[in-house]
Amino acid sequence: MMKKLLLIFLVATVICSCDDDDNTISVGLLAEHRGIYINDFYTSGILGNATQEDNLLAWVDQNDFTDIYLYNVGAILGDGLDNELRVFVNKAHNQNPYLRVSFVSAGFGDSFTAIENYHDGRKDSKPDGIVSEIEFWNGSMNFTDDYVPWIDKVNDLKFTPPPGEVAPLNAGITRQFYIGKIKDPGSPPSLIIAKELVQHHDEIFLTNYHTDAWQLSGSTAENSIVNKLNLLAQAGMELNKEVNIVILFNVFQLSPSPEIWDYFATGGMNNEFEDAFVEWSSDYNASTAITNKEFLNIKGFGIYRYSDGLSARPL
């Protein structure tokens, strides 16, 4: 009984500890990683507009996010706006010392080459992470052809010095990958793929898109969150490697996948973004359906996506 009361006290303390616009990002909350996809960073004109950039960073601070994932970086660099991107990355780091900036990469072609080139001479404005968005489990794609080359690219960026250099382009970068399904299309979940993901990534972003996603789903369907966690835990056990997991919540209101926008909306259930992870974590800790938990490090959560998150909880 004492342990249960202590858990309730700790959860209540964490839920109430978000700082809500005191010009700092809180530390010491339950989630070490608290991220948000900035879906319209380029397409809605945020980049290069000082007021919109400041509003974005103020909202990130208000809601205690530690990580932002920027979309359309390939298009930004392809349009010659590398200096504007550099200025924003510096601004983000200067305004919020705890804030990490990741670039979203949708492939290993020209857009990734542009990201590699961006690193040259950018000692003060490199991204803190790169998030892959290569859905090898969908359509005509597959892991070997569409994802393995990206592993090689991001590993080179992290570990291999360019010709004539003595250090890699960005040795401190966090390799991040979002997962919908750990499988090739038409195939069952793959332990081989799970092991590759565990070996080559610093953080794995795991989709948790279902109704009432702030609760751990009891589903045992092939692609359920429980099955994905079990597969990654088995991979971690067989590799004797800790697997860093970021749980993704969906607030995109027009998404074909289930979303929980109303859970956060000030005009709805009015919960802070941290609250969903606190409730989910309580269920996860109590669950006996997930084995080998000692190999899973549930670092925190990510929210998909900013424009809908902003409408749910305006600045």
Side-chain angles (χ1 to χ4, degrees):
M1 175 62 73
M2 287 299 295
K3 288 184 177 179
K4 184 174 182 180
L5 290 174
L6 179 61
L7 175 61
I8 292 172
F9 172 76
L10 289 174
V11 168
T13 301
V14 171
I15 289 177
C16 296
S17 62
C18 289
D19 67 10
D20 281 339
D21 199 22
D22 67 357
N23 297 317
T24 61
I25 292 176
S26 291
V27 295
L29 301 183
L30 182 64
E32 173 188 347
H33 181 122
R34 305 185 293 275
I36 180 81
Y37 280 90
I38 313 302
N39 58 295
D40 54 353
F41 179 63
Y42 187 37
T43 57
S44 71
I46 296 174
L47 177 65
N49 183 310
T51 299
Q52 290 197 47
E53 289 179 353
D54 290 342
N55 287 342
L56 165 62
L57 293 173
W59 185 85
V60 165
D61 163 69
Q62 176 175 302
N63 291 282
D64 286 302
F65 288 107
T66 62
D67 290 74
I68 56 176
Y69 327 127
L70 304 181
Y71 270 108
N72 299 122
V73 172
I76 289 167
L77 297 175
D79 287 344
L81 300 176
D82 59 323
N83 190 61
E84 285 81 354
L85 182 60
R86 178 190 65 81
V87 169
F88 175 80
V89 172
N90 281 340
K91 178 191 286 191
H93 287 151
N94 290 335
Q95 288 191 15
N96 296 305
Y98 297 105
L99 184 64
R100 295 182 292 265
V101 180
S102 291
F103 293 171
V104 176
S105 174
F108 51 86
D110 292 343
S111 65
F112 197 91
T113 298
I115 290 173
E116 290 176 305
N117 293 337
Y118 171 88
H119 284 73
D120 294 338
R122 300 294 188 190
K123 296 181 185 297
D124 62 342
S125 54
K126 289 181 171 60
D128 303 290
I130 291 187
V131 185
S132 170
E133 200 155 284
I134 303 169
E135 296 185 340
F136 61 82
W137 55 87
N138 277 338
S140 61
M141 302 178 78
N142 65 76
F143 180 79
T144 300
D145 296 333
D146 298 288
Y147 181 68
V148 170
W150 187 84
I151 289 180
D152 294 338
K153 285 279 191 179
V154 77
N155 280 345
D156 278 346
L157 192 68
K158 186 177 178 74
F159 299 117
T160 305
E165 301 290 334
V166 297
L169 287 174
N170 196 348
I173 201 162
T174 301
R175 299 165 299 168
Q176 301 161 317
F177 183 63
Y178 117 88
I179 295 174
K181 301 176 182 179
I182 310 174
K183 60 191 287 295
D184 279 327
S187 300
S190 168
L191 180 60
I192 293 173
I193 292 177
K195 285 183 175 180
E196 287 290 318
L197 296 173
V198 169
Q199 285 181 305
H200 295 287
H201 290 85
D202 303 305
E203 293 174 341
I204 292 177
F205 292 7
L206 205 56
T207 55
N208 177 49
Y209 299 169
H210 63 86
T211 304
D212 302 335
W214 59 90
Q215 300 171 346
L216 177 64
S217 171
S219 171
T220 57
E222 177 181 274
N223 192 47
S224 69
I225 186 69
V226 167
N227 280 1
K228 287 186 287 191
L229 287 169
N230 272 320
L231 188 59
L232 290 169
Q234 183 180 351
M237 178 189 66
E238 294 191 12
L239 294 168
N240 194 29
K241 189 177 189 305
E242 184 178 66
V243 186
N244 294 312
I245 301 290
V246 173
I247 299 297
L248 296 183
F249 298 105
N250 183 21
V251 300
F252 179 23
Q253 295 172 87
L254 298 180
S255 172
S257 301
E259 46 83 15
I260 56 170
W261 182 88
D262 190 66
Y263 176 85
F264 301 112
T266 53
M269 297 172 67
N270 195 23
N271 292 285
E272 295 186 16
F273 294 109
E274 169 87 358
D275 295 351
F277 182 73
V278 171
E279 292 198 56
W280 186 93
S281 296
S282 180
D283 284 356
Y284 168 82
N285 290 332
S287 175
T288 59
I290 302 164
T291 57
N292 302 308
K293 284 184 182 179
E294 64 271 25
F295 292 96
L296 298 179
N297 176 31
I298 310 296
K299 290 189 69 174
F301 66 92
I303 300 292
Y304 182 77
R305 53 186 193 157
Y306 169 66
S307 59
D308 294 270
L310 176 63
S311 69
R313 305 190 68 78
L315 185 66

